[in-house]
Amino acid sequence: MLIVGSPVSPYVRKILAILHLKGLDYELDPITPFYGNDEFTKLSPLRRIPVLIDGDLVVNDSTVIAEYLDEAYPDVPVLPTGARARAQSRWIEEYGDSRLCDLCIWELFFPKVVAPHVFKRPPDEDALAKATDSDLPEALDWIEERAPGDGFLFGDGVGIADLAIACPLRNAAIAGWTPDPARWPKTTAWLDRIAALPSFARTVAMEPAILATRADGRRAALENAGVRVAGQSFGTDQPRASIMLR
Ligand SMILES: N[C@@H](CCC(=O)N[C@@H](CS)C(=O)NCC(=O)O)C(=O)O
């Protein structure tokens, strides 16, 4: 199985954590989507990561990939059982993938960490302040009301919905914003429980290979961190504005 996409992406991280939970082997092509080549456009018409390739099957979109993995490899399920719990799980995941990722990625991580390096575009400090002082706290208030007091959202095992909240907040942390335990005690304790899981911690251990390593050394650094890096890549060295940024 091949996963295309940088492990720093919250959507890729969600899938890697699920693969780790399920004990599934994979190879990683750790490209940033802006550096995808023409073959990547064929694979991912929206030029987004992650993409999963399992034999001759290509699956796009982390939600679709996660559900495929849960159906094809049902050991260690990551969706709860029962129509009601599954509906709730899907909604929390959707909230994490859409609203929380908008805030953590497009309002914070992208302008602060990615754009200055990739597109030589400085951040708008007023927009960053709006994200950290107003938009993210409002979202965290909503999350705090739903955060589990112990365990995870749907019982003792971590699931897609937990990961869909924790992954974008990991990007916020990389960009320098973490939720205050005094204001959001249940959420921060829950995030700590997720961070302590080996399946999640393994994704965090991959970060220095991407964030603290020059582009030409990243694949080797990931291998040194124990990741099986794919022999071939869908990446190139020329950044390309994506559909979102056009
Ligand atoms: N709904 C998609 C979103 C994937 C997504 O937006 N990935 C980002 C990386 S964090 C990306 O590839 N962005 C490039 C772009 O939007 O142009 C999923 O769940 O996989």
Side-chain angles (χ1 to χ4, degrees):
M1 204 168 338
L2 171 67
I3 301 294
V4 180
S6 164
V8 172
S9 154
Y11 304 101
V12 176
R13 191 191 296 276
K14 184 173 67 175
I15 296 306
L16 298 184
I18 290 170
L19 289 165
H20 299 160
L21 274 168
K22 289 178 174 288
L24 297 171
D25 283 338
Y26 63 90
E27 289 190 344
L28 186 65
D29 179 10
I31 65 165
T32 305
F34 314 110
Y35 288 93
N37 61 20
D38 291 339
E39 284 303 306
F40 175 65
T41 311
K42 288 185 197 155
L43 204 63
S44 178
L46 302 180
R47 291 182 62 77
R48 289 193 182 143
I49 54 170
V51 181
L52 172 146
I53 304 175
D54 193 7
D56 60 2
L57 175 72
V58 176
V59 190
N60 297 80
D61 193 284
S62 66
T63 301
V64 182
I65 295 170
E67 295 213 6
Y68 163 70
L69 289 173
D70 223 31
E71 286 174 8
Y73 305 96
D75 283 354
V76 194
V78 288
L79 267 169
T81 47
R84 295 170 71 91
R86 287 166 88 85
Q88 280 180 312
S89 170
R90 288 181 172 120
W91 160 234
I92 301 274
E93 182 190 13
E94 170 56 21
Y95 180 85
D97 284 0
S98 54
R99 178 61 176 161
L100 200 55
C101 275
D102 276 351
L103 300 179
C104 296
I105 301 299
W106 295 111
E107 289 193 21
L108 193 57
F109 184 79
F110 183 82
K112 206 169 161 187
V113 179
V114 180
H117 296 291
V118 176
F119 298 110
K120 313 295 174 219
R121 189 189 301 166
D124 172 342
E125 295 298 335
D126 290 341
L128 287 180
K130 179 174 176 295
T132 55
D133 302 348
S134 158
D135 293 350
L136 271 166
E138 190 180 300
L140 265 289
D141 285 345
W142 188 86
I143 291 168
E144 179 73 4
E145 283 180 28
R146 285 144 190 92
D150 57 16
F152 301 98
L153 280 167
F154 297 96
D156 292 340
V158 74
I160 299 177
D162 303 278
L163 294 169
I165 300 296
C167 291
L169 286 170
R170 179 68 203 155
N171 286 79
I174 294 169
W177 189 88
T178 50
D180 177 358
R183 177 162 171 186
W184 299 291
K186 281 198 301 168
T187 303
T188 49
W190 171 44
L191 292 173
D192 286 348
R193 289 194 293 279
I194 297 171
L197 296 168
S199 52
F200 195 88
R202 274 174 70 187
T203 71
V204 174
M206 296 177 196
E207 289 170 2
I210 303 294
L211 297 170
T213 310
R214 281 169 39 120
D216 57 2
R218 285 181 191 152
R219 298 172 79 84
L222 274 174
E223 275 176 353
N224 288 338
V227 179
R228 280 179 58 211
V229 177
Q232 287 194 316
S233 179
F234 290 93
T236 176
D237 54 4
Q238 290 303 314
R240 186 183 302 185
S242 67
I243 287 168
M244 274 290 287
L245 300 169
R246 259 178 230 150

